Amino acid sequence: MPAEALHALRARGRRVVLAAIRESGAVDPGADAFAELSVGRIGELVSFFKDNGVRDLLVLGKLDKGLHFAGIEFDELALRGLALMQDRTDMSLFGAVVAVLEEQGLRLLPQDAALYDLLCPVGTMGKVSVGTYAKDVQRALSLAREIARLDIGQSVAVREGLCLAVEAAEHTDEMIKRAGALPGGGTVIAKVPRPGQDPRFDVPTVGPQTIRTMAKIEAAGLALAAGAVFVIDSEQTIRLADEAGIFIVGQRLPGGS
């Protein structure tokens, strides 16, 4: 995702400064300035951005929910962020980080406004049609929206109307693998945003790895909320889907995201 963002922003003439969270395993995709910092060193993060003349920020990617924090040293700003968290949900975590960064004079941009070229369009992407899976597409999108409303996850797996798996803390690929543990192919995967999604962080994302995982379980297709889900490296994503006979379809959700 950082590489996709860098390419999109540079195409618009923007200078890109990247701070990677060491614990996430991110690497430098060729930014104008780069630093690798621990998740516990928010003070150093703020200083790095200010030293490089940065005011506008994009928060991209995820931290592994299995990350062990016992060995991480937290600075004053990080401890302030932890104190602001009401629980351990993504919304609470990112909300606390946003509050601390904005207190320091930095501004977080909506991901969908900055990276609108990556949003899933309405209709079919690629050569494979929805065909006989239209009912499962609607069922999967409806269920995904409900679990997103409950802040459980953003993805589900459905086959012949039956919900095979629901995403929780493990993220989408692991959910797909769980669905694949049940015999039979033809599963439809759906991914949507939360209702009232804060577009500054955690916009749902799919890409080539999503399709590779789906191909392993002989899934039928991927249904996405159009205009609300990022499709990264779309050319490769569509090519892999076509090769595997997997459809990708974007639909507008009733009432918006």
Side-chain angles (χ1 to χ4, degrees), residues 80-119:
R80 171 158 175 72
L82 289 174
L84 292 172
M85 288 180 61
Q86 298 179 357
D87 51 44
R88 297 189 65 179
T89 64
D90 288 345
M91 296 295 285
S92 181
L93 170 62
F94 281 112
V97 171
V98 168
V100 171
L101 293 176
E102 289 185 339
E103 284 177 356
Q104 301 301 310
L106 298 169
R107 180 176 64 179
L108 271 77
L109 301 179
Q111 293 179 349
D112 55 356
L115 303 175
Y116 51 83
D117 294 340
L118 306 183
L119 290 170

Side-chain angles (χ1 to χ4, degrees), residues 39 42 56 91 94 130 154 172 176 188 220 235 238:
V39 68
I42 293 182
D56 294 338
M91 296 295 285
F94 281 112
V130 172
Q154 296 173 304
T172 304
I176 295 171
V188 172
E235 184 175 334
I238 293 169

Side-chain angles (χ1 to χ4, degrees), residues 166-188:
V166 171
E167 179 193 23
E170 79 277 35
H171 301 317
T172 304
D173 277 6
E174 293 304 314
M175 184 275 295
I176 295 171
K177 292 175 185 177
R178 283 196 290 109
L182 299 171
T187 300
V188 172

Side-chain angles (χ1 to χ4, degrees), residues 148-161:
R149 183 186 68 80
L150 295 171
D151 200 16
I152 296 171
Q154 296 173 304
S155 304
V156 300
V158 168
R159 185 194 305 151
E160 297 181 3

